[in-house]
């Protein structure tokens, strides 16, 4: 969603808006503060299909065990 905002508006305006919303969301005193926090959380969440940092091995808790890694490091 952040990419859409940056393409639609000037980047400096989006940056100032997000800083102001993050500042208000950090207070969490009024209803608007809670709304600002939810807006910031929705804008900065990367969709699962676009998240290049997501790794199936980590998400599914599969991968190498310690002995396999040691054998690999020793060259076996």
């Amino acid at each position: 969603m952040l990419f859409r905002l940056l393409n639609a508006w000037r980047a400096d305006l989006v940056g100032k808006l997000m800083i102001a919303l993050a500042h208000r969301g950090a207070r969490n005193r009024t209803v608007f503060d809670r709304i600002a926090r939810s807006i910031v959380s929705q804008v900065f969440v990367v969709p699962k299909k676009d998240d290049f940092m997501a790794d199936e091995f980590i998400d599914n808790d599969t991968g190498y065990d310690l002995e396999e890694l040691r054998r690999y490091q020793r060259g076996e």
Side-chain angles (χ1 to χ4, degrees), residues 28-68:
N28 201 21
R29 293 182 190 157
T30 64
V31 174
F32 181 73
D33 296 342
R34 292 187 202 110
I35 293 170
R37 179 179 287 190
S38 67
I39 290 171
V40 169
S41 68
Q42 289 175 2
V43 167
F44 283 115
V45 169
V46 178
K48 186 96 171 153
K49 64 181 178 72
D50 296 334
D51 189 9
F52 66 93
M53 295 293 290
D55 190 3
E56 288 184 20
F57 287 113
I58 295 172
D59 292 342
N60 298 332
D61 196 24
T62 58
Y64 300 107
D65 63 353
L66 187 58
E67 287 302 317
E68 285 178 299

Side-chain angles (χ1 to χ4, degrees), residues 3-23:
F3 300 118
R4 292 182 190 152
L5 285 174
L6 290 175
N7 289 332
W9 294 344
R10 291 179 30 192
D12 60 336
L13 294 176
V14 173
K16 289 177 184 178
L17 175 67
M18 293 311 295
I19 288 172
L21 285 173
H23 178 70

